[in-house]
């Protein structure tokens, strides 16, 4: 964990292992409030409402969550247990469709159950606990490696632009896109970071600016429509973003607005790096146009941050939460296993 972040903890289990405790990200940056989630309904609602968000973090929440819910299942046989487990799994998976980490984590938990049909339910629960902890620990290790790998492409003093939040709050410990920034900070690189505010939910302003500032990183907040200006002025030497799903051909789904940043970066000749754990690669998804893009409530655009309504009543609103950056615009995909360059045929290895 980067020392500047203190004891900020995005997702954890409580001591009794009866609840998932999350930092409620909808309350940031004003207050650091932790809430405990005891039921499948509470866990799904927290993911849907983005109280916990970011692709790996929702995977970890779902893994801890299904462990907590499995302990509440009353079953006299494996079949009864598995039937209820599957219902909860599908229910949690339905909370958000785009980030593959959510279903990937739940599938791993399901595999533990399927691999241990003959053990007692108590042992099964213990194995589920261990797997959920593994998912969290592996993510933390992957984030560090991603940071190291990306840092090999960066130089001290560089200006870096990032979109949305792919830091500690979205993942474990160092995050993905922010991992090289924290590591660079530890080594005196002195990066100058520009954070896009990230309309409509302002993850860049509320979360990235918050965690980088808290950690003592030199961060400047800009509106999304200012990215072109800071690039034109020569203040940006690389773009670093996270990802929610990487298709087999290297197309990348990430927070809405990411593809626009990639187009700008190409125009100004700035490298555009996508950082994520290999768990974000979905080889069953051949290209980006097969990725399901979540659409959210129109009020996030028309009302949410305003004192009064900022759009005509009942105006049509299109509010996709993610977009797909075509692989042609990506300079490299950086995972814990290494750096993959176009044409991204190495992704499947
Ligand atoms: O809607 P959100 O806030 O969950 O979207 C988050 C992003 O798009 C992140 O960039 C992505 O999940 C990568 S997190 C390491």
């Amino acid at each position: 964990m980067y020392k500047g972040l203190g004891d900020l903890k995005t997702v954890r289990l409580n001591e009794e292992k009866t609840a998932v405790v999350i930092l409620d990200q909808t309350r940031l940056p004003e207050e650091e409030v932790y809430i405990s989630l005891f039921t499948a309904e509470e866990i799904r609602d927290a993911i849907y409402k983005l109280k916990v968000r970011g692709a790996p973090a929702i995977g970890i929440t779902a893994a801890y969550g299904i462990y907590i819910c499995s302990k509440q299942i009353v079953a006299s046989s494996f079949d009864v247990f598995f039937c209820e487990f599957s219902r909860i799994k599908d229910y949690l998976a339905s909370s958000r469709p785009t980030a593959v980490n959510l279903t990937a984590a739940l599938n791993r938990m399901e595999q533990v159950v399927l691999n241990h049909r003959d053990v007692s339910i108590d042992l099964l629960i213990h194995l589920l606990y261990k797997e959920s902890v593994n998912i969290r620990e592996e993510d933390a290790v992957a984030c560090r490696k991603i940071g190291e790998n990306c840092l090999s492409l960066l130089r001290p003093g560089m200006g870096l632009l990032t979109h949305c939040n792919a830091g500690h709050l979205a993942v474990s410990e160092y995050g993905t896109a922010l991992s090289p920034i924290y590591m660079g900070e530890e080594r005196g690189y002195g990066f100058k970071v520009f954070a896009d505010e990230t309309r409509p939910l302002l993850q860049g302003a509320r979360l990235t600016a918050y965690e980088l500032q808290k950690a003592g990183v030199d961060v400047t907040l800009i509106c999304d429509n200012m990215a072109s200006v800071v690039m034109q002025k020569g203040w940006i030497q690389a773009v670093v973003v996270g990802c929610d799903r990487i298709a087999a051909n290297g197309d990348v789904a990430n927070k809405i607005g990411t593809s626009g940043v990639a187009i700008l970066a190409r125009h100004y000749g700035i490298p555009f790096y996508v950082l994520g754990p290999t768990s974000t690669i979905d080889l069953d998804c051949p290209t980006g146009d097969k990725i399901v893009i979540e659409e959210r409530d129109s009020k996030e655009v028309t009302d949410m941050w305003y004192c009064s309504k900022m759009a005509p009543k009942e105006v049509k609103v299109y509010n996709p939460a993610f977009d797909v950056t075509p692989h042609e615009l990506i300079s490299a995909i950086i995972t814990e296993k290494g750096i993959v360059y176009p044409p991204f045929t190495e992704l499947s290895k």
Side-chain angles (χ1 to χ4, degrees):
M1 171 85 169
Y2 182 66
K3 62 175 176 359
L5 288 170
D7 55 2
L8 209 62
K9 266 238 181 298
T10 307
V11 189
R12 64 182 168 86
L13 285 171
N14 67 356
E15 272 188 20
E16 302 77 27
K17 300 198 197 98
T18 52
V20 187
V21 182
I22 58 162
L23 175 63
D24 183 347
Q25 299 191 31
T26 60
R27 311 273 287 267
L28 290 172
E30 289 199 354
E31 322 171 276
E32 280 176 17
V33 177
Y34 290 89
I35 54 174
S36 299
L37 313 169
F38 292 91
T39 65
E41 289 71 24
E42 288 170 352
I43 295 161
R44 187 186 185 282
D45 187 67
I47 296 174
Y48 177 71
K49 293 192 174 142
L50 273 58
K51 292 180 181 180
V52 58
R53 32 65 54 203
I58 59 179
I60 295 164
T61 305
Y64 281 154
I66 201 156
Y67 157 66
I68 295 289
C69 297
S70 295
K71 296 212 296 189
Q72 298 163 10
I73 298 174
V74 182
S76 51
S77 69
F78 176 87
D79 289 345
V80 175
F81 178 87
F82 186 59
C83 182
E84 181 58 3
F85 180 94
S86 303
R87 187 192 67 75
I88 298 166
K89 175 184 174 243
D90 293 345
Y91 177 66
L92 294 179
S94 69
S95 54
R96 299 195 72 191
T98 304
V100 70
N101 314 61
L102 177 63
T103 37
L106 288 167
N107 286 343
R108 268 182 71 169
M109 296 296 279
E110 180 179 56
Q111 207 49 55
V112 169
V113 179
L114 290 173
N115 288 347
H116 298 91
R117 289 169 179 273
D118 299 326
V119 305
S120 69
I121 303 281
D122 281 352
L123 179 53
L124 201 48
I125 299 286
H126 177 66
L127 294 171
L128 284 170
Y129 165 69
K130 281 178 68 177
E131 188 69 348
S132 67
V133 172
N134 286 343
I135 290 172
R136 157 72 177 75
E137 296 304 319
E138 285 168 24
D139 188 58
V141 172
C143 286
R144 278 164 195 260
K145 291 194 175 145
I146 289 167
E148 288 285 358
N149 290 337
C150 184
L151 210 52
S152 69
L153 300 173
L154 306 177
R155 297 288 163 264
M158 274 184 163
L160 305 175
L161 184 133
T162 190
H163 190 75
C164 195
N165 173 265
H168 173 73
L169 294 166
V171 206
S172 306
E173 308 198 358
Y174 282 65
T176 53
L178 300 193
S179 182
I181 294 171
Y182 288 130
M183 286 192 172
E185 204 62 24
E186 287 172 342
R187 296 167 200 188
Y189 271 51
F191 293 130
K192 292 180 174 38
V193 182
F194 288 81
D196 282 350
E197 67 174 350
T198 317
R199 279 277 292 158
L201 291 179
L202 307 185
Q203 289 92 332
R206 294 187 302 106
L207 309 176
T208 297
Y210 173 76
E211 66 166 90
L212 289 180
Q213 190 185 55
K214 187 175 168 93
V217 175
D218 179 340
V219 58
T220 304
L221 176 64
I222 57 170
C223 299
D224 297 331
N225 53 8
M226 298 167 191
S228 174
V229 173
V230 293
M231 290 183 181
Q232 198 175 44
K233 283 183 178 292
W235 295 349
I236 308 298
Q237 280 69 54
V239 175
V240 286
V241 295
C243 47
D244 286 82
R245 195 180 291 248
I246 304 175
N249 70 340
D251 292 349
V252 167
N254 192 48
K255 179 51 53 191
I256 190 71
T258 304
S259 65
V261 177
I263 292 166
L264 291 174
R266 175 57 54 93
H267 178 79
Y268 290 109
I270 296 166
F272 182 91
Y273 299 131
V274 172
L275 292 79
T278 44
S279 57
T280 312
I281 300 169
D282 182 1
L283 292 178
D284 293 334
C285 181
T287 60
D289 56 8
K290 298 278 180 290
I291 298 175
V292 177
I293 300 292
E294 173 184 6
E295 283 188 41
R296 296 186 61 89
D297 193 335
S298 61
K299 287 201 176 66
E300 291 176 353
V301 176
T302 56
D303 296 54
M304 194 159 176
W305 307 108
Y306 303 119
C307 300
S308 60
K309 205 171 180 65
M310 263 317 132
K313 245 184 169 179
E314 281 163 32
V315 69
K316 278 197 282 180
V317 172
Y318 174 51
N319 183 17
F322 299 93
D323 63 21
V324 173
T325 301
H327 59 276
E328 302 84 19
L329 295 175
I330 298 170
S331 311
I333 295 175
I334 300 161
T335 74
E336 75 279 16
K337 294 198 176 154
I339 304 174
V340 193
Y341 294 96
F344 299 122
T345 42
E346 297 285 307
L347 281 181
S348 53
K349 292 187 184 157

